[in-house]
Amino acid sequence: MEGLYAFCVGLLTACGIFLALRGRTFSVVIGLTLLSYAVNLFLFASGRLKLNAAAVLGESEQYSDPLPQALVLTAIVIGFAMTAFAVILAMRARADLGNDHVDGTLPAQPGDASKKSGGSQ
Amino acid sequence: MSSLIWLPFLPLLGTLIPLITARFSRTACAFMTAALPALTLFLVLTHAGDIFQGERFQAALPWIPAIGLELAFRLDGLALLFSILILGIGLLVILYARYYLSAKDSIGKFYSYLILFMFAMLGVVLSDNLIQLWFFWELTSISSFLLISFWGHKTEARKGARMALTVTGAGGLALLAGLLILGNTVGSFSLQDVLDSGELIKASANYPIIVVLVLLGAFTKSAQFPFHFWLPNAMAAPTPVSAYLHSATMVKAGIFLMARFYPALADTDLWFMIVSLTGLATFLVGAYIAIFQHDLKGLLANSTISHLGLITLLLGMGTDLAAVAAIFHIINHAIFKASLFMAAGIIDHESGSRDMRQLNGLWKYMPYTATLAMVASASMAGVPLMNGFLSKEMFFTETLHQASLGSLSWFIPVLATLGGVFAVAYSMRFIHDVFFNGEPINLPKTPHEPPRYMRVPVEILVGLCLVVGIFPSLVVGDLLFAAAEATLNGPAPTYSLAIWHGFNFPLLMSVIALLGGLYMYHNRHHMFKFQAQFPTSDPKLVFEGVIQYLTNKASRIIAFTENGSLQRYTFFVLAFAIVMTASTLMKLNTTAGQRPEIPLDALSITCAVLLCVSALATVLWHRRRVIALLTLSVVGLIVSLAFAQFSAPDLALTQLSVEVVTVILLILALFFLPQNTPKESSPRRVVRDLSLASLIGGVIGTISYALMTRPLDTISTFFTENSKTGGGGTNIVNVILVDFRGFDTLGEITVLGIAALGIYKLIAKMRLYMPSSDDNGLAWSEDRYPILLAVISQSLLPLALLVSAYIFLRGHNMPGGGFIAGLITSVAIIQQYVAHGVDWIKTRLKLDYQIMIGSGIGIATLSGLGSWVFGHTFLSSWFDYFYLPVIGKFELASAMVFDLGVFLTVVGATMLILANLGQLTTSERPIQKEHD
């Protein structure tokens, strides 16, 4: 099970990082979200995987490690705030700069499809 | 003893006094400014008697003992000598500056800088710790920068100050490196330990590096060749500054450093070669250049360079007697050079010029000042009965008794005599060219004597020149002896401070110097003509050129590395991270550890496959944003399932509810953002990013696997054992959040609140283009609020709130708590927004989410502060059990109040973000075209 879990963490990390390296803000936000899943799973796993061992006294024979869980719980909520901040920042950047590229300016490539990004009215 | 700690800090306190008293008269300001330095001088002098008896005072306040950081001061002979010079001449300069500065200059600011500098200098000479010494050393550079640039409206003042700071600051960095290596070699940063480990240091392989680095610091500070060029340019400073910094204190700091580390670093061939040859070169170059200066202060500056070279040369000779001579000349030079600078300042002040081609025949206009200046000049030239003569005699004697250059050692006395000739020539020029030699030419003012008290400091100093010159052992004998012992870190050699040593070789050298200097001055026109043949190279221009060149190179490198592409920076950071982690990971022998693994089951495999497929689908279809969002939410759901399976019900609940709000947020955002991503990454970039991402994913997976298969030594046993007894709850995760690590949680909800408020500000006044159709040109649905959704959501609301309350209340003992309850409540409210629209909600639900966040954090903080009332530490919790009829036994805990704060903050923050973002789609409809 641990191997499978580790594989999933690695895959999520790779997907997150690949998307975080894209040039458009929305892809980066998606990438960061995937990455934060991976990070949360990773941190959680530092308390080791246990089945049927919720950290509630009297509910089971042995308890999973509650400390990483407490840390990850707040990390999930903070992660939401971070995603929200990033995406609102992306919207604001688009509103003020007129495009959604992470650098704030569109790369100068002749004949690229960037004009489509604005949509048409 | 503890008064020693406060000694240097009295002036620090004194930096405030001039700023406060500047509103009073200038005289009052000067007197009050002088009070603390005078007190400090008095305190220093009270120690003098004991120090003359051979005692040494030390005091230290430990700071971080483990790495040798402490506030440590020492007062020994050398420190005493320098403290007296710094404070004594400082007091005279305060008096002098009172008359020198014009009404336009801010005297409070000037005195404040001056006292700050005094503090820094005292710190240098009193420090008993290497790092601390360096700290004060840099402070002298910075405070002298402020003083030199005091007349900041003048270009040359700014340039001169910048040059001085650059040169001495760069030297300071070299010194820091040297001191760090020195401290590591000795194993201690305490100065006494270093001084006592001379043999160890000299035997160490690091010795040459230490010597070169420390000497770089000393030479730049003391304007030794080839770093001498900054000193003449620093003459743009007001003259009191020059009199203080460039005669007695700042430039002597480098000399002090060499004297201080003399027992630790000197006495090797390397030291002698570097120090004596640098000193000799500086001595000659400075003296030669001084002759050709037309600026009065320029002459004095170059003469200072020359005298500093002389002292350096003495310190490099390697005999104990030479070290004594060096210290004696430090005293004498400080006295006569300070008085000469002050005299030059008087001349400048009362005649309006410093140019010796204009200044002539001032004897008629200011005979009294002229007399004083002539006595001081005579001392500079080394005329008998003056203090300068005594130390110069000792210098000549020592040049005869050294063998640093082997068979070529006779060069040194010959060159020393030549330097003496130059010195007499420029001193002669200072006297004859200014006070005699015809009539003044085109002076801006008619020269006259200065105010009475402006002359007092000069009188005192010139008086000292004579007194020391005539009764040397009576006046400075004890001080010199104590300083010499401190410098040598052992007994001082026997020497005689008499005026007359009989007819001997040094006397002959003095006579040659005097006669040769007079002859040279008499024939100066030939020399000026000869000198005029050389192309003049201004070191200032060279320096500025070098700086310009470096700046250009630097900006070219920056332009190359920082091209403004975020993708590039991210790539570099990640690549660097992978190099750092992977290299460490390679040292791990096996991937798998000893811990037995959980066997796989079909459900887990199914979920894992689903997770991987959706994650890959997100990447694959990331340019079709709505689809990517959907697959992303599948990933989130499976993550929450994973938490549920591996015994973390709290996490599962949190992840699930966060997932809902995140997807709603991103869908709202997508309404305003383009719905598709253009294809613009080149195949090369895709391959590059893919490789890096897979590499990092592989490494993270490996770490994760290695971590999970190794046994765990957790600190959580404490939490498990004390959760019920100490925190009053059986849900350990919740007890950790609201009790054990409550302070962390308080910080976290504060961050959440700040983020929400930041988002609120970003949303406000956002002018976004609102598409009327999706990217495929299909119009949005007309049915904005489907009736079915409205009815169901309305009936769901009380149910959702009930669940939320239940989750909140049971949180302390069962999975749940403020975070999760807050998120569920938010989802319930958002559902109403989605079903009915903002306008409908606004009239029915009057909640100010900002106030909600504020009160949430407030309640959490107050519940923590409440424990202070009962004499417990911040955020200690309290709980007890009560019985009520019907309900039965129940528990009340102060931690629940804290959890209520968490709840309110979470609801407030989530709603502030989503409701405001949602509002953009309705009430505000900025009609603005895209500008891309």
Side-chain angles (χ1 to χ4, degrees), chain B residues 125-420:
Chain B
V125 301
L126 291 175
S127 281
D128 201 13
N129 178 292
L130 300 189
I131 306 292
Q132 184 193 332
L133 188 148
W134 177 80
F135 169 80
F136 283 112
W137 178 276
E138 290 297 73
L139 195 58
T140 62
S141 295
I142 293 166
S143 51
S144 70
F145 171 81
L146 294 172
L147 282 168
I148 297 170
S149 63
F150 182 71
W151 285 329
H153 54 278
K154 294 186 182 172
T155 314
E156 66 263 37
R158 292 197 301 271
K159 282 190 172 166
R162 215 151 49 204
M163 189 191 287
L165 184 68
T166 311
V167 176
T168 58
L173 288 182
L175 176 64
L176 176 64
L179 291 181
L180 288 177
I181 302 174
L182 180 60
N184 279 332
T185 309
V186 176
S188 161
F189 285 95
S190 155
L191 186 60
Q192 194 56 48
D193 291 347
V194 171
L195 296 186
D196 290 337
S197 322
E199 298 303 317
L200 174 89
I201 298 165
K202 285 166 214 164
S204 146
N206 293 333
Y207 176 73
I209 308 170
I210 298 173
V211 165
V212 169
L213 289 173
V214 170
L215 286 179
L216 265 178
F219 288 172
T220 47
K221 200 81 160 181
S222 281
Q224 294 298 299
F225 182 83
F227 308 111
H228 61 290
F229 56 88
W230 71 263
L231 186 55
N233 283 299
M235 288 300 126
T239 303
V241 173
S242 310
Y244 194 38
L245 268 60
H246 306 131
S247 68
T249 52
M250 162 121 155
V251 290
K252 291 277 169 65
I255 304 285
F256 169 80
L257 194 75
M258 285 188 267
R260 185 86 279 181
F261 288 108
Y262 195 79
L265 298 179
D267 215 12
T268 63
D269 288 341
L270 182 71
W271 170 278
F272 295 146
M273 283 307 266
I274 301 178
V275 177
S276 62
L277 290 183
T278 308
L280 187 63
T282 315
F283 175 52
L284 289 171
V285 169
Y288 183 74
I289 297 175
I291 301 174
F292 301 102
Q293 298 296 310
H294 296 303
D295 177 12
L296 215 50
K297 280 176 80 177
L299 184 151
L300 291 177
N302 282 295
S303 128
T304 300
I305 293 175
S306 162
H307 279 274
L308 292 169
L310 185 157
I311 300 170
T312 307
L313 173 57
L314 278 170
L315 285 172
M317 279 181 186
T319 59
D320 289 358
L321 276 170
V324 175
I327 292 166
F328 194 29
H329 200 68
I330 290 172
I331 306 176
N332 294 332
H333 176 252
I335 295 174
F336 68 69
K337 192 50 68 66
S339 62
L340 279 171
F341 266 116
M342 289 182 186
I346 290 177
I347 294 166
D348 181 17
H349 200 253
E350 308 305 340
S351 70
S353 172
R354 292 192 329 225
D355 193 326
M356 279 185 277
R357 285 166 295 192
Q358 292 179 299
L359 295 166
N360 292 308
L362 291 189
W363 171 259
K364 272 179 262 173
Y365 302 94
M366 38 171 75
Y368 196 76
T369 308
T371 314
L372 292 174
M374 283 193 276
V375 174
S377 292
S379 179
M380 174 160 78
V383 174
L385 293 186
M386 311 290 168
N387 59 351
F389 168 74
L390 295 174
S391 44
K392 203 163 252 186
E393 278 282 283
M394 286 169 93
F395 166 61
F396 285 148
T397 314
E398 290 315 311
T399 56
L400 293 168
H401 291 115
Q402 49 72 43
S404 22
L405 298 183
S407 60
L408 291 179
S409 297
W410 62 269
F411 264 103
I412 292 187
V414 171
L415 291 174
T417 317
L418 182 64

Side-chain angles (χ1 to χ4, degrees), chain A residues 1-2 10 17 21-22 24 37 48 50 53 55-57 64-65 69 74 92 94-95 98 100 103 117, chain B residues 566-567 598 601 604 625 647 659 672 674 680-681 689 697 707 710 714 716 730 732 748 762 767 930 932:
Chain A
M1 186 73 86
E2 272 81 357
I17 284 181
L21 283 168
R22 299 301 91 209
R24 297 295 171 147
Y37 290 149
R48 309 299 185 267
K50 276 184 185 162
V56 178
L57 293 175
S64 57
D65 195 338
Q69 294 189 20
T74 48
R92 184 70 197 247
R94 184 173 189 247
D100 69 336
D103 297 337
S117 70
Chain B
L566 181 73
Q567 288 166 280
I598 303 171
D601 61 285
S604 306
R625 295 180 172 181
S647 316
E659 201 50 44
F672 295 104
E680 57 189 5
S681 294
D689 292 351
L707 189 75
R710 280 171 171 74
T714 176
S716 295
T730 50
I732 312 170
E748 244 134 0
L762 276 177
R767 301 251 153 232
E930 287 279 291
D932 63 337

Side-chain angles (χ1 to χ4, degrees), chain B residues 816-829:
Chain B
F819 275 112
I820 300 165
L823 286 165
I824 293 176
T825 307
S826 310
V827 172
I829 302 177

Side-chain angles (χ1 to χ4, degrees), chain A residues 29-89:
Chain A
V29 170
I30 298 273
L32 288 180
T33 312
L34 275 178
L35 196 59
S36 66
Y37 290 149
V39 170
N40 288 340
L41 285 174
F42 179 86
L43 286 181
F44 169 67
S46 70
R48 309 299 185 267
L49 303 182
K50 276 184 185 162
L51 299 176
N52 303 319
V56 178
L57 293 175
E59 294 288 302
S60 49
E61 296 285 305
Q62 47 158 357
Y63 304 112
S64 57
D65 195 338
L67 190 61
Q69 294 189 20
L71 296 179
V72 171
L73 199 153
T74 48
I76 292 172
V77 181
I78 292 282
F80 163 68
M82 186 201 71
T83 310
F85 198 89
V87 80
I88 304 286
L89 199 62

Side-chain angles (χ1 to χ4, degrees), chain A residues 1-30 33-34 37-38 40-42 44-59 63-103 106-107 109 112-121, chain B residues 564-567 570-571 574 595 597-601 604-605 608 611-612 615-616 618-619 622 625 632 635-636 639 643 645-651 654-655 658-659 661-662 665-666 669-670 672-674 677-678 680-681 686 689-690 692-694 696-697 700-701 703-705 707-708 710-712 714-716 719-720 723-724 730-733 736-737 748 751-752 755 758-759 761-764 766-769 813 815 819 910 913 917 930-932:
Chain A
M1 186 73 86
E2 272 81 357
L4 187 65
Y5 188 95
F7 175 78
C8 291
V9 171
L11 185 84
L12 283 181
T13 312
C15 292
I17 284 181
F18 179 77
L19 287 180
L21 283 168
R22 299 301 91 209
R24 297 295 171 147
T25 49
F26 194 78
S27 311
V28 175
V29 170
I30 298 273
T33 312
L34 275 178
Y37 290 149
N40 288 340
L41 285 174
F42 179 86
F44 169 67
S46 70
R48 309 299 185 267
L49 303 182
K50 276 184 185 162
L51 299 176
N52 303 319
V56 178
L57 293 175
E59 294 288 302
Y63 304 112
S64 57
D65 195 338
L67 190 61
Q69 294 189 20
L71 296 179
V72 171
L73 199 153
T74 48
I76 292 172
V77 181
I78 292 282
F80 163 68
M82 186 201 71
T83 310
F85 198 89
V87 80
I88 304 286
L89 199 62
M91 287 171 58
R92 184 70 197 247
R94 184 173 189 247
D96 292 356
L97 303 169
N99 66 73
D100 69 336
H101 198 273
V102 286
D103 297 337
L106 291 174
Q109 284 169 3
D112 67 357
S114 64
K115 286 287 164 201
K116 253 179 83 181
S117 70
S120 54
Q121 192 167 20
Chain B
S565 161
L566 181 73
Q567 288 166 280
T570 319
F571 181 81
L574 290 171
R595 201 167 171 276
E597 294 189 32
I598 303 171
L600 284 168
D601 61 285
S604 306
I605 297 176
L611 177 101
C612 296
L616 288 173
T618 313
V619 171
H622 78 270
R625 295 180 172 181
L632 178 77
V635 176
V639 168
F643 286 138
Q645 195 199 0
F646 298 116
S647 316
D650 289 277
L651 290 189
T654 316
Q655 180 68 56
V658 161
E659 201 50 44
V661 283
T662 308
L665 170 85
L666 290 180
L670 214 46
F672 295 104
L673 290 172
T677 306
E680 57 189 5
S681 294
V686 171
D689 292 351
L690 263 182
L692 182 74
S694 334
I696 295 182
I700 297 291
I703 299 176
S704 180
Y705 183 69
L707 189 75
M708 282 188 287
R710 280 171 171 74
L712 171 67
T714 176
I715 59 166
S716 295
F719 300 124
T720 315
S723 175
K724 182 76 182 164
T730 50
N731 181 6
I732 312 170
V733 177
I736 291 178
L737 282 174
E748 244 134 0
V751 171
L752 191 64
I759 289 170
K761 277 288 160 199
L762 276 177
I763 292 176
M766 176 140 64
R767 301 251 153 232
L768 265 175
Y769 160 74
N813 293 312
F819 275 112
T910 319
I913 297 169
L917 188 56
E930 287 279 291
H931 24 88
D932 63 337

